[in-house]
Amino acid sequence: MHQFTTHTHTIAMDQITHKFVQVNGLKLHVAEIGLESSPVVIFLHGFPEIWYTWRYQMIAVAKAGFRAIAPDFRGYGLSEQPAEPEKATFADLINDTASILDSLNISKVFVIGKDFGAIVAYPFALQYPEKVAGIITIGLPFMPPGAFTTEFVLPEGFYPRRWQEPGRAEADFGRFDVKTVVRNVYILFSQSELQIANENQEIMDLVKPSTPLPSWFTEEDLEAYAALYEKSGFRTALQVPYRTMHMVGSEVQNPKVEVPTTMIMGEADYVLKIPGIGEYIRSGEVKKYVPNQETIYVPHGTHFLPEQFPEKVNELVLEFLNNHKHLVAV
């Protein structure tokens, strides 16, 4: 058991406050902890995540003198659904992030993005450079222009390809309750190999009902996720990221993110096995776009580093924040 299952952690979780901000016609949920006068860190989740994914990091950065804010993206968690989820794009999430900061009167932040949160974090920095002091991404690098159309071709039967097809994931997920879907996704995404379905198989069929949850993910955690996905459903989540992947990386011509960035990857993260991605990171090609990036690998780390190895991630995050906090001096 890691130390966060202690009574102290329960008390700290109680100190996370929840508010709703009205931005771009929607009521979006924001979890936060820390003093309003402190330098701000905004945490951007991926799928199947929500604000709760960042519970360990939020508490750690608040204890270290920062203010942590973690929104649920539109259509996720406690945030409102857009009127037409099937029209949502990454641009909406980028604009929402800027609007959330404006509505909270926050002028400059450190941005931490996990999974597709990285696909929001970097374009956000390119479009609003004055708002960003530094970036940490976990589990995904900066995505080059046309990333998933020319650069990284996803194998047939791999879950993003399957979920891109309107109706297919809906039919697959619809055979199970929400809790089982979230459970299966956590089990699938914590593997170190690409999970590929056969032609006559769906993604949910890749997980046997008897497969246990990862050791670092409790039944209580699963309940927390399931409750939020029961509320939000998967409509927006299937649209962004999966059905808008062809648009990824096309926001800016000749993009270059000049702020300090760190990318944290688990050595056992299946993302490194997606054709082209491991090589793109290891060869240094990614530095064409993020010249000031440091890449850190966590041994035995899977795609869920913030929850699998919270102490290690907290240590790396705090080292980065403390080294660069002069960049947000008011």
Side-chain angles (χ1 to χ4, degrees):
M1 297 286 272
H2 48 62
Q3 66 193 53
F4 283 99
T5 47
T6 60
H7 180 58
T8 339
H9 182 244
T10 315
I11 293 169
M13 281 293 280
D14 289 346
Q15 290 168 355
I16 294 177
T17 61
H18 298 270
K19 63 171 65 161
F20 289 89
V21 293
Q22 188 76 31
V23 299
N24 304 326
L26 293 172
K27 213 165 67 172
L28 301 184
H29 167 249
V30 179
E32 75 171 292
I33 182 171
L35 297 174
E36 283 206 4
S37 55
S38 301
V40 180
V41 186
I42 187 167
F43 291 91
L44 305 176
H45 64 77
F47 177 82
E49 292 132 349
I50 37 175
W51 76 268
Y52 182 83
T53 303
W54 298 112
R55 57 202 179 280
Y56 303 118
Q57 287 69 45
M58 292 177 75
I59 291 164
V61 304
K63 278 189 181 156
F66 294 86
R67 176 183 175 194
I69 65 174
D72 285 333
F73 286 130
R74 57 171 58 202
Y76 279 82
L78 297 172
S79 288
E80 260 182 353
Q81 290 284 351
E84 298 179 90
E86 290 70 25
K87 290 188 175 166
T89 66
F90 277 102
D92 293 325
L93 307 191
I94 295 160
N95 295 335
D96 287 347
T97 303
S99 302
I100 287 168
L101 295 177
D102 290 346
S103 74
L104 298 174
N105 293 317
I106 296 167
S107 56
K108 200 159 198 169
V109 290
F110 291 105
V111 183
I112 303 187
K114 154 82 173 65
D115 182 66
F116 84 79
I119 303 177
V120 178
Y122 291 119
F124 176 70
L126 289 167
Q127 290 174 39
Y128 299 94
E130 73 291 349
K131 291 187 189 295
V132 178
I135 300 173
I136 298 174
T137 63
I138 301 172
L140 266 191
F142 179 96
M143 286 292 158
F148 293 109
T149 48
T150 52
E151 198 109 353
F152 312 125
V153 179
L154 301 171
E156 185 50 56
F158 186 35
Y159 73 90
R161 284 283 291 271
R162 287 292 178 84
W163 294 352
Q164 277 169 358
E165 290 177 43
R168 187 151 190 179
E170 287 84 341
D172 184 13
F173 293 3
R175 299 176 294 154
F176 305 94
D177 62 18
V178 167
K179 188 172 171 183
T180 304
V181 173
V182 175
R183 182 179 176 281
N184 287 355
V185 173
Y186 255 84
I187 291 168
L188 276 177
F189 289 14
S190 57
Q191 309 297 313
S192 59
E193 298 300 323
L194 297 187
Q195 300 296 304
I196 310 274
N198 300 327
E199 213 174 311
N200 56 355
Q201 198 181 29
E202 296 304 321
I203 299 301
M204 290 290 117
D205 300 331
L206 294 171
V207 183
K208 293 189 181 74
S210 58
T211 310
L213 280 166
S215 58
W216 39 265
F217 194 73
T218 65
E219 282 293 332
E220 188 186 23
D221 294 332
L222 179 58
E223 290 287 346
Y225 278 92
L228 287 162
Y229 276 97
E230 264 156 21
K231 184 200 169 292
S232 68
F234 296 102
R235 274 180 76 187
T236 307
L238 287 167
Q239 173 66 12
V240 186
Y242 302 106
R243 292 171 190 168
T244 41
M245 285 178 90
H246 59 286
M247 299 157 78
V248 166
S250 57
E251 306 81 9
V252 174
Q253 291 306 306
N254 307 315
K256 207 168 230 148
V257 177
E258 301 288 1
V259 295
T261 67
T262 286
M263 183 178 59
I264 307 171
M265 290 295 296
E267 278 185 353
D269 189 333
Y270 70 86
V271 166
L272 292 169
K273 307 257 173 79
I274 294 173
I277 288 195
E279 174 59 16
Y280 166 71
I281 297 168
R282 292 196 181 102
S283 69
E285 192 192 336
V286 66
K287 288 202 164 193
K288 282 195 331 205
Y289 308 104
V290 275
N292 303 314
Q293 177 165 294
E294 181 186 7
T295 303
I296 299 168
Y297 292 95
V298 175
H300 315 294
T302 68
H303 195 56
F304 294 113
L305 282 179
E307 296 172 285
Q308 182 189 10
F309 292 127
E311 293 89 344
K312 181 64 186 166
V313 171
N314 294 350
E315 179 195 313
L316 295 171
V317 163
L318 287 172
E319 187 182 347
F320 179 89
L321 295 175
N322 287 323
N323 284 346
H324 297 104
K325 71 176 168 197
H326 61 281
L327 298 174
V328 286
V330 181

